[in-house]
Amino acid sequence: MAIVAIVGGESLIGRDLRDLIGERKLYADVRLVGTGEATATLTEQDGEAVVITPLDEGTVRDAQLVFLAGSPDSTRKAVEIARKSGLASLFIDLTYAMEDDPAARLRSPYSEPEGFAAPPEALSVIAHPAAITLAMLLKRLRDVKPIVRVMAHVFEPASERGQEGLNELQKQTVNLLSFQPLPKRVFDAQIGFAMLPSYGSEAPEPLESFELRIEKHLATLLAGIEGVPMPSIRLIQAPVFHGYSISLHVEFSDQPDLAKIASVLGAPEVDVRGPDVEAPTNVGIAGQGGIAVGAIAADRNAPCACWFWIVADNFRLMVENAVAVAQSLLPGGKRNKK
């Protein structure tokens, strides 16, 4: 049985990863590794106490595969330990910290072309969930009619900034209702009850940098899919805790048939909501796999175009793709999309 380590097993995405590995019954001995503690700590999994060990050479050396789900610093530290020690561990990065590394390969099994195979020694970086979502949908829509133009408004949840982002949104919401000063360390702006096109000037990272990441990842994913133009993307910070929402506008070469669109989109990992079903929401998709699309409507002012409303649980979508990569790499692993 292979040994698999999760660096950042205590993080938000690390907890989702632990849950999915349990659901998929990955044939592996899973060990949790912390990001900042110098000593072992305890956490809970399925009602039982689980030890989270410190990140050091021993924890990396013993693992055949390492999920990187903590902070960017812990990701770089784990990879540096392996390389300095000459270890042959396989890495799956869910933090984007290694995306510019020469050995990195962007991965998204839910949208990759059939037969795609990355070099076995590659450092797998899981694509941004918004890029995965758009690539999944556009890959199918090209079969309706040739696509001329695509525009997407992507609504970002606070959870993409980790636990600190969630805490700041929660505290801002409470403080606004009680007329207290607002904490602004993460966003340097009011996010509670507000939509933001950018963060404050003193935010650790500008919102534009995350928009550029989505564009870069989506361009890479679409490079392997013929007939899909690069979308125009606008990222907006929404005052929600979890889940991406995307308003997508697709212009085809000719007037499309809405019934055909619904049938083309249908797939195990795509939940298509018809006109007689309530449109999906980021709240309703929480904890669910794949993506959901609804409110599919013709553009009244452009007969060759359609609107789509898409939602996805950002962490669940990433860990599903990460586990699919792991299943293709581990001995005896089995790729299972859903």
Side-chain angles (χ1 to χ4, degrees):
M1 181 181 294
I3 296 175
V4 171
I6 302 177
V7 176
E10 77 282 18
S11 68
L12 293 174
I13 197 166
R15 292 198 289 268
D16 272 22
L17 185 56
R18 288 155 48 187
D19 291 342
L20 186 63
I21 287 174
E23 291 176 24
R24 295 288 169 85
K25 303 187 186 306
L26 196 66
Y27 187 69
D29 176 10
V30 180
R31 302 180 182 182
L32 306 183
V33 182
T35 58
E37 296 292 335
T39 57
T41 58
L42 289 177
T43 189
E44 181 270 338
Q45 179 74 21
D46 297 329
E48 298 183 2
V50 179
V51 176
I52 298 181
T53 59
L55 174 58
D56 56 26
E57 182 179 339
T59 56
V60 177
R61 181 185 61 241
D62 292 340
Q64 283 76 55
L65 186 144
V66 182
F67 288 104
L68 302 167
S71 66
D73 286 343
S74 67
T75 290
R76 287 187 282 266
K77 180 179 178 181
V79 174
E80 181 182 11
I81 288 172
R83 288 176 173 173
K84 282 187 175 180
S85 305
L87 303 176
S89 300
L90 296 170
F91 289 100
I92 299 177
D93 179 17
L94 295 92
T95 69
Y96 316 122
M98 303 304 297
E99 62 182 335
D100 294 324
D101 189 273
R105 295 294 184 275
L106 195 70
R107 297 299 312 275
S108 168
Y110 275 12
S111 62
E112 290 166 355
E114 291 297 327
F116 176 88
E121 71 282 0
L123 195 162
S124 299
V125 177
I126 302 303
H128 191 285
I132 295 174
T133 299
L134 289 169
M136 287 173 65
L137 203 70
L138 294 172
K139 177 182 178 181
R140 292 166 173 80
L141 287 177
R142 65 174 180 164
D143 294 332
V144 176
K145 287 182 181 293
I147 297 175
V148 176
R149 187 177 295 106
V150 182
M151 293 183 292
H153 287 92
V154 180
F155 298 92
E156 177 109 324
S159 59
E160 277 295 297
R161 306 285 78 79
Q163 188 64 54
E164 289 185 340
L166 292 178
N167 292 343
E168 187 158 295
L169 173 57
Q170 187 269 335
K171 290 177 182 177
Q172 282 197 9
T173 303
V174 172
N175 287 8
L176 279 165
L177 295 174
S178 56
F179 305 100
Q180 299 296 315
L182 304 183
K184 296 182 178 180
R185 198 177 75 82
V186 177
F187 303 103
D188 191 38
Q190 179 185 328
I191 178 180
F193 302 104
M195 305 280 278
L196 303 178
S198 61
Y199 295 156
S201 60
E202 296 186 11
E205 291 185 76
L207 185 62
E208 291 80 3
S209 68
F210 306 115
E211 183 179 271
L212 289 172
R213 173 174 287 141
I214 295 172
E215 285 189 348
K216 181 172 69 172
H217 287 192
L218 183 56
T220 300
L221 297 179
L222 294 182
I225 303 174
E226 294 183 2
V228 180
M230 182 63 195
S232 298
I233 295 173
R234 186 71 185 269
L235 183 65
I236 301 160
Q237 180 65 58
V240 300
F241 289 96
H242 295 286
Y244 271 98
S245 301
I246 300 175
S247 179
L248 183 69
H249 186 267
V250 180
E251 181 181 347
F252 298 93
S253 61
D254 193 7
Q255 186 169 358
D257 180 88
L258 296 185
K260 182 177 180 181
I261 286 176
S263 78
V264 165
L265 290 178
E269 61 271 15
V270 182
D271 176 16
V272 183
R273 309 282 180 90
D276 56 340
V277 180
E278 184 179 0
T281 67
N282 63 302
V283 175
I285 200 70
Q288 303 299 311
I291 66 175
V293 55
I296 303 172
D299 186 334
R300 289 183 295 273
N301 300 305
C304 295
C306 289
W307 289 101
F308 302 84
W309 181 253
I310 317 153
V311 298
D313 182 318
N314 45 319
F315 291 157
R316 177 75 182 203
L317 191 59
M318 284 194 75
V319 301
E320 284 184 326
N321 280 269
V323 170
V325 172
Q327 289 173 318
S328 70
L329 295 175
L330 290 174
K334 180 183 177 182
R335 180 168 166 176
N336 179 7
K337 286 189 175 183
K338 188 144 182 171

